[in-house]
Amino acid sequence: QHMVHSVWLLFVAGIGIMIGFRYRLWAWVYFLLFSWLYAIDTNVFLNHAYLICIFLLFMCFVPANAAFSLDAWLYPGVRSSVMPRWCLWLLRGQQCLVYSFATFIKLNEDWLRAAPMDLWMTDRWTTAPLGSWIRMIPLHTTPMHYVMSYGGLVYDAFFCPFMMGRRTYPVAMLTAAVFHLSNHFLFRIGVFPWMMLACMTLFFEPDWPLRLLARLRRRPSRRPRLRRRSRSRPFTRAELVVLVALGVFAAHQILFPLRNYRYRLYGPHNVGWDEASGFHSWRMMVRNKHCVWSMVARDRATNGTLPIAIEHYLNKHQKKSTETDPPSIVQFAHYVSRKLARQKPQYFSEPPAIHANFTCSMNGRPFQNFISPVHDLSQIDYNDEPFDWVTPLEPLPEEKRAEYPWRWPWTFRWLWDEWPTYVKQYEALMSEKRRLRALSSFHLPGTHSLSSHRPTSADTP
């Protein structure tokens, strides 16, 4: 019941923040509790939730209760019509940093050939019921995939500069509304589109709520008198502490997402493939993986093996998120090894070795080996990066490289010819996945099979 109580406490803290009563207390409660719920299960990891945690941390320090709050009404010392300028630029800067990394990360060999947008949109179109509004949009056509891929890249690159310009921010607002509403209806990615739409107000003039209220009351609005810091005055100790803290935080936010690039010193590396240092790197929706896998447990003394029924340990969502993330795969292998040693002593005198046969396709590439069965996953430290036990991603085939726009024969016949679709390629990929799933069982050389393992309800976590 502690999880239910935690969610109810989040609800109470959210009400306290919304009405501005004991704002600092409830802001810290909400930040700590939400971050804990976010961190306890890697299967629910989202960069969007990570961004919410950062904004919640900011709310613990910015004076958001200085106006339009019960604290400002009950305690006159809290009330204020101005705030330090760093509060506004901290929030703006974090949002712009996310868009900047989104632009940088999209400049990869897959996104520039409209992958994985072609897979997502074709899947969305083919699975939509006949007669639905999705079917009325040519989401399965190749030109639409390139428009959406390069449109997203351009939007991420120019959103912040356009929002900061007085003449260009109406265009940016309209584009952002179309972009995020499309994300909501096409991808169903939760609260993120609505949060980003709300965050656009950070780029308005800071006194826009007062001006809006004055307009509704049909009264002239007054801009508060601003107190600017004299440049000749030295920084106080408190100001220096704030500056150092902001500098350290900014350096962390800029350098930490780039940590996966250090692995390129050891050779070719694609973080979308092996996920090494991929968490908290603002890698939002830039890869799509389809994997087929099976596992066996091997007794170290007798070399006898038992197949592992993965669906008895993981639900559908857990299986889908685990199979694409090598650290989660190793964690699952450690868990199963300990579980079998306790519940199957007739087969295993000690925690057995866990071997897996993984075949994956990323962003429409041909299926290839992802994790070889030769590795004992129960002996691998999932924190030891880079993951040399993950098979390196094969180079992009030449036929895939021909999909880059600068390699097209630019005759502009697509303006009047029928648009090519991606349906056949998508169906071929899904057919290959079904074929591999039917052949997913494997046999380790030099081992013999024990009795079929049938996990009971007690095996299920």
Side-chain angles (χ1 to χ4, degrees), residues 10-11 15 67 75 108 138 159 224 246 274 281 337 340 352 354 414 439 447:
L10 270 180
F11 175 76
I15 295 295
Y75 310 105
N108 63 71
F159 172 78
L246 291 176
D274 64 10
S281 298
S337 179
L340 290 177
I354 304 296
W414 60 272
L439 304 173
T447 64

Side-chain angles (χ1 to χ4, degrees), residues 323-357:
E323 66 187 10
T324 60
D325 181 47
S328 297
I329 295 168
V330 172
Q331 285 181 309
F332 174 63
H334 287 197
Y335 168 80
V336 173
S337 179
R338 295 191 302 266
K339 195 84 170 179
L340 290 177
R342 290 196 304 267
Q343 297 192 344
K344 299 294 178 180
Q346 68 272 29
Y347 294 135
F348 307 109
S349 58
E350 59 179 339
I354 304 296
H355 299 267
N357 184 28

Side-chain angles (χ1 to χ4, degrees), residues 308-382:
I308 298 173
I310 299 169
E311 63 275 7
H312 285 272
Y313 297 95
L314 301 175
N315 60 36
K316 184 177 180 181
H317 172 75
Q318 290 172 326
K319 183 175 182 294
K320 184 177 180 180
S321 58
T322 298
E323 66 187 10
T324 60
D325 181 47
S328 297
I329 295 168
V330 172
Q331 285 181 309
F332 174 63
H334 287 197
Y335 168 80
V336 173
S337 179
R338 295 191 302 266
K339 195 84 170 179
L340 290 177
R342 290 196 304 267
Q343 297 192 344
K344 299 294 178 180
Q346 68 272 29
Y347 294 135
F348 307 109
S349 58
E350 59 179 339
I354 304 296
H355 299 267
N357 184 28
F358 268 81
T359 305
C360 292
S361 167
M362 186 181 78
N363 294 341
R365 298 167 184 247
F367 278 91
Q368 69 162 88
N369 181 262
F370 186 45
I371 298 177
S372 174
V374 301
H375 299 291
D376 178 7
L377 300 181
S378 65
Q379 298 298 310
I380 293 176
D381 181 4
Y382 54 84

Side-chain angles (χ1 to χ4, degrees), residues 11-176:
F11 175 76
V12 174
I15 295 295
I17 293 172
M18 183 178 67
I19 64 177
F21 179 70
R22 301 291 183 184
Y23 166 80
R24 298 286 185 187
L25 170 65
W26 291 121
W28 277 106
V29 169
Y30 203 104
F31 163 67
L32 294 173
L33 195 54
F34 185 91
S35 301
W36 174 70
L37 292 173
Y38 158 77
I40 59 176
D41 189 358
T42 58
N43 279 316
V44 297
F45 170 80
L46 285 173
N47 281 288
H48 312 153
Y50 175 47
L51 180 61
I52 293 175
C53 291
I54 293 177
F55 278 135
L56 289 173
L57 176 62
F58 293 166
M59 291 179 66
C60 296
F61 295 98
V62 300
N65 60 334
F68 300 103
S69 70
L70 288 180
D71 285 345
W73 181 55
L74 296 173
Y75 310 105
V78 175
R79 192 181 310 147
S80 176
S81 59
V82 297
M83 66 176 179
R85 191 174 294 273
W86 64 264
C87 298
L88 176 62
W89 285 101
L90 180 66
L91 295 166
R92 287 179 176 177
Q94 182 64 45
Q95 191 174 359
C96 289
L97 182 125
V98 172
Y99 279 109
S100 299
F101 271 106
T103 304
F104 176 69
I105 290 168
K106 285 183 174 66
L107 296 174
N108 63 71
E109 60 182 1
D110 284 332
W111 191 271
L112 296 179
R113 61 181 183 88
M117 191 66 70
D118 47 12
L119 288 171
W120 291 332
M121 293 298 97
T122 305
D123 177 76
R124 192 78 173 90
W125 189 85
T126 55
T127 57
L130 293 175
S132 65
W133 67 271
I134 292 289
R135 285 280 186 160
M136 301 177 185
I137 307 173
L139 297 177
H140 63 304
T141 60
T142 302
M144 181 63 72
H145 302 157
Y146 281 90
V147 168
M148 297 183 72
S149 295
Y150 281 82
L153 176 63
V154 172
Y155 168 79
D156 289 338
F158 290 98
F159 172 78
C160 283
F162 273 50
M163 282 298 292
M164 292 183 183
R166 288 181 176 271
R167 296 182 178 180
T168 54
Y169 87 83
V171 177
M173 286 180 58
L174 179 62
T175 307

